[in-house]
Amino acid sequence: VNCAFEMQARMPSVNRELKKQNLPDLAMGIGIHAGQVVVGNIGSDTRAKYGVVGPAVNTTSRIQEQARKGQILISDAVLDKTAQGKDLQVKTSFPVDLKGVDQIMTLYAIEPAKSV
């Protein structure tokens, strides 16, 4: 989550550099989920790659597809793992029916917690 905040915070400087090169602005939406996966080298000695597989990977991809530019979306699983959202602020939440997911999920659009 902190990495996602940092990535979004750096987009303006990336776009300033792109503008100097007469390239179009970039924007990204980020989706974050947590769950069990299998991680490691997949394949044979002649053709192998490092990969991550499992239902949580697919769910994360579906969450990311819902994210609009500049937005960070997280699942309940991530919200639960972030000390009950201590370091973040939920801007909005909404139910979504994701392809390949058996039940409706609640997604949370987040931003860093406001400093007091």
Side-chain angles (χ1 to χ4, degrees), residues 58-77:
N58 299 335
T59 301
T60 303
S61 176
R62 301 294 186 214
I63 292 169
Q64 187 277 324
E65 290 171 354
Q66 298 292 315
R68 295 186 201 114
K69 64 182 181 179
Q71 193 174 45
I72 301 170
L73 296 179
I74 63 171
S75 65
D76 280 320

Side-chain angles (χ1 to χ4, degrees), residues 3 13 15 18 21 25 40 43 46 50 52 56 62 76 80 100 105-106 111 113-114:
C3 180
S13 64
N15 284 326
L18 290 173
Q21 299 173 41
D25 283 355
T46 58
Y50 189 78
V52 181
R62 301 294 186 214
D76 280 320
D80 290 345
M105 289 186 72
T106 300
E111 61 187 22
K114 303 272 190 262

